Amino acid sequence: MSKFYFIFYSIAIFLSVHSFDRNDPINVFVIWLSLFSIYIISFRYLSDFTTKQILCLGILLRIVTVGAIPSLSDDFYRFLWDGYLVSHSINPFAFSPNEFLEQGVPVTEEALSLYRKMNSQPYYSVYPPLLQILFYLPWFFVLSFFAKIILLQFVLLCFETVNLSLIGGDKSKKKFWIYAGNPLVIIESVSQIHPEPILVFLILLSYRLFEAKKFVGFHFVFSLFLQIKLSLVFLIPGGFFLLPKKKRIFFIFAVCLSLTVLFFSLFSKLGNQASSGIGLFFHSFRFHSLFEFLIYFALSPFAEYTYLSGTIALIMGGTIYLFYLYAKNRNLNEAIFVGFLLMLLFSPVIHPWYTLPLFALLSSKIPYTGVFLVFSIFSGFSYLLYSIQYTFFSDFFFMIEGVSLFACIYGRACINYFRKKSQIRKGKNKTCGRSW
C-alpha cells in the first residue's frame, strides 16, 4: 500500500509542474492544497521505509519534475538573458535589458524572445558572478531553448542528490522528509530553476568542513555564500564568532575577497544597483513579509517613510542575531539556522524558494518542527498574492499565517493548560459538594 501511495504522489508532482498557472488563483490553490494533503498523509507511511529508501524517493520526486517549463516563476528568462550576454563577452551588470537593446546592438531572435518574456526589463542583474557561470552553460553548449531548460534543471538535480545524501545521515525520518518529500522544496528546487540547491550544498559543506576543523576550506566555502545570494552577508557574524580567535583573521580575509569580487562586478555601477537593482529589495519590493509587515503597517500613517520599512526590519533582525550570538555559546548549525530564520522573518521579500535552506537545516535540537512544515505550506500558498492583488487579501493572508504559526508553537501548551485548569475546577466542585 505504501509503495503505491508514493507512486501516486510522484504522478501528482509530475502533473502539477505541468499544470500550474500562477495567474489563476483557483489553479494555484487547488494544486497546492492537493499536494500538501498528499504530503501530510505520507508521513504515516514513513515507518515502512529505510532512510536510504526515503533518499531514493526524494530523488525520484525531483526527477519527475525535470522537463517542465517553469510556470510559477519567470526568473529563468532573466537567467538565460544574462547567460546570453556572458556568452557574447558582455558584462551582464553594465546594462539593464532595456538599455542594452537601446544601443542598437544586434541580438538573436531567441534573445529577443527572452527579453519579451522576462519581468525585469528595466532592472539591473542582481545575480553574482558564480551564478552567471551557471547561466552561461546552456549557451556554451549551443542548445535549443528546451534543452537549455533541461540542462539547468539537471545541474540543480545533481546538487539536490548530493544535498539529500548529506541531510539523510543527520536527521530522523520525519525531519528528513520535511526536506526530501516537501512539495514546495521538490518543485522550487529543480523544476522552477532556482539556485537555492547550490546554496544548500554550500551550507551543508561548510558544516562538514567546520566539524572536521578544516578551516581553510570552511573560509573559502563560506565566502562563496555571497556569490550565490548577497543577502547571506547577514550570516557572517555566525561564522565569525564561532571560529577560534586565531582563525578569524583568515575568515575576514576570505569574506573581504568575495566582497571585492562583487564590488568590481555586481556593484561596478553602485548607483544603478541602489536604484534599480538590489536596492529595490530594501525600498520598493515587498512580498509575503512577516515582521517587516508590522513595521510597514506602523509607518503607514507616515506614507513618505514607508520605503524605510525593509531597511529598519533587516537592521532589527541583525541586531537580534548579534544578541543571540553574544548571549550563549552556539554551534555552527544552530547559529546558521537562527541567522537564516531571522533573515527571512525580517525580510521585506520572502519568495517561496527563499525558504528552501531553512528546511534543510532543521536539526533534532530545534523544537516545534511542525511550525516549519506549516511555514512551507503558507509559502506555497503565497503564490496567491501574485494573482489576488488586493490589499485586504494580503492583510488577511498575513493574519491567518500568523495565527497558524502561533498555534503551532503555543497551541498544545495552551490546550494542556486550560485542560488542567478545567480538571482542577471540577475537582474543587466535587470537594465542595461533598463537604456541603
Side-chain angles (χ1 to χ4, degrees):
M1 175 63 184
S2 57
K3 292 181 180 178
F4 288 110
Y5 189 84
F6 285 104
I7 292 173
F8 171 66
Y9 189 22
S10 300
I11 295 172
I13 290 287
F14 174 81
L15 294 175
S16 297
V17 294
H18 290 276
S19 305
F20 268 117
D21 180 0
R22 194 180 74 175
N23 298 316
D24 182 351
I26 296 177
N27 172 281
V28 170
F29 181 80
V30 170
I31 292 178
W32 280 122
L33 180 63
S34 302
L35 288 178
F36 276 111
S37 297
I38 297 170
Y39 170 59
I40 290 171
I41 294 172
S42 72
F43 279 90
R44 297 180 180 180
Y45 301 102
L46 290 183
S47 58
D48 296 338
F49 296 89
T50 64
T51 301
K52 188 173 182 180
Q53 289 172 326
I54 293 174
L55 166 65
C56 293
L57 281 171
I59 296 172
L60 172 64
L61 290 169
R62 285 156 175 78
I63 288 174
V64 301
T65 69
V66 174
I69 304 298
S71 53
L72 288 172
S73 169
D74 50 14
D75 287 351
F76 75 101
Y77 292 117
R78 183 57 186 258
F79 299 164
L80 290 174
W81 170 267
D82 282 6
Y84 171 81
L85 296 182
V86 173
S87 70
H88 286 74
S89 302
I90 299 168
N91 182 357
F93 309 112
F95 311 96
S96 69
N98 283 347
E99 290 176 346
F100 181 75
L101 291 182
E102 285 171 0
Q103 294 183 341
V105 179
V107 296
T108 64
E109 186 59 37
E110 185 177 11
L112 281 175
S113 176
L114 294 173
Y115 170 81
R116 296 187 190 104
K117 293 177 181 178
M118 74 174 72
N119 65 1
S120 54
Q121 296 169 351
Y123 306 133
Y124 295 88
S125 179
V126 298
Y127 305 107
L130 189 61
L131 285 181
Q132 297 294 339
I133 297 173
L134 173 65
F135 304 158
Y136 163 70
L137 279 180
W139 299 97
F140 175 79
F141 292 104
V142 195
L143 302 171
S144 66
F145 174 75
F146 183 68
K148 288 181 175 69
I149 299 298
I150 294 287
L151 176 62
L152 291 176
Q153 290 174 336
F154 178 75
V155 171
L156 295 176
L157 175 64
C158 291
F159 276 101
E160 275 294 85
T161 301
V162 177
N163 293 340
L164 290 168
S165 301
L166 293 173
I167 296 169
D170 297 336
K171 304 284 191 294
S172 67
K173 290 181 183 179
K174 288 186 177 180
K175 286 188 172 64
F176 185 25
W177 193 237
I178 286 179
Y179 187 84
N182 193 321
L184 179 75
V185 178
I186 293 167
I187 290 171
E188 295 289 1
S189 61
V190 176
S191 72
Q192 304 305 304
I193 314 182
H194 294 302
E196 267 60 27
I198 304 174
L199 181 58
V200 170
F201 169 73
L202 292 176
I203 293 174
L204 296 175
L205 180 59
S206 72
Y207 285 173
R208 298 301 193 280
L209 292 170
F210 188 89
E211 290 171 355
K213 297 185 178 180
K214 296 181 179 180
F215 295 116
V216 174
F218 170 77
H219 299 155
F220 173 73
V221 171
F222 200 101
S223 68
L224 290 181
F225 290 4
L226 305 181
Q227 298 299 321
I228 302 296
K229 191 175 285 290
L230 185 61
S231 59
L232 293 195
V233 69
F234 199 92
L235 301 180
I236 289 176
F240 177 80
F241 287 114
L242 293 172
L243 280 168
K245 291 184 178 179
K246 293 182 179 179
K247 305 294 182 181
R248 291 177 180 176
I249 185 65
F250 298 104
F251 176 80
I252 292 299
F253 174 78
V255 170
C256 288
L257 183 61
S258 186
L259 290 172
T260 301
V261 172
L262 293 173
F263 180 79
F264 286 104
S265 55
L266 181 61
F267 294 109
S268 55
K269 292 189 174 182
L270 186 59
N272 293 338
Q273 281 294 335
S275 62
S276 301
I278 288 175
L280 293 169
F281 291 89
F282 290 88
H283 55 69
S284 297
F285 287 170
R286 299 183 67 250
F287 182 84
H288 189 206
S289 59
L290 296 176
F291 288 152
E292 187 273 345
F293 178 90
L294 298 176
I295 297 171
Y296 185 88
F297 180 78
L299 290 174
S300 56
F302 314 96
E304 66 272 22
Y305 296 110
T306 52
Y307 74 95
L308 293 172
S309 61
T311 303
I312 294 172
L314 288 171
I315 290 174
M316 287 178 62
T319 303
I320 292 172
Y321 188 38
L322 291 175
F323 274 110
Y324 164 84
L325 293 171
Y326 178 78
K328 184 181 178 181
N329 291 328
R330 312 285 179 177
N331 62 44
L332 183 69
N333 299 40
E334 292 177 3
I336 298 301
F337 174 81
V338 171
F340 196 88
L341 176 61
L342 287 171
M343 184 184 73
L344 287 179
L345 291 177
F346 286 89
S347 175
V349 179
I350 309 177
H351 288 306
W353 56 91
Y354 288 8
T355 64
L356 268 55
L358 194 67
F359 309 124
L361 303 181
L362 291 176
S363 72
S364 57
K365 294 183 179 180
I366 298 168
Y368 312 122
T369 51
V371 76
F372 299 104
L373 176 57
V374 172
F375 185 47
S376 68
I377 293 172
F378 275 96
S379 295
F381 282 116
S382 69
Y383 275 108
L384 293 170
L385 298 173
Y386 284 106
S387 52
I388 306 177
Q389 297 180 350
Y390 295 102
T391 303
F392 80 88
F393 179 75
S394 178
D395 296 346
F396 175 76
F397 188 91
F398 170 79
M399 290 172 59
I400 295 298
E401 182 175 12
V403 169
S404 299
L405 294 175
F406 186 85
C408 285
I409 298 173
Y410 295 106
R412 184 177 297 179
C414 290
I415 290 171
N416 290 337
Y417 172 77
F418 287 113
R419 185 180 294 167
K420 287 179 181 178
K421 290 201 78 173
S422 176
Q423 290 172 351
I424 291 171
R425 285 177 181 172
K426 287 180 181 178
K428 284 184 177 180
N429 288 338
K430 288 179 181 178
T431 301
C432 290
R434 284 195 295 269
S435 62
W436 182 80

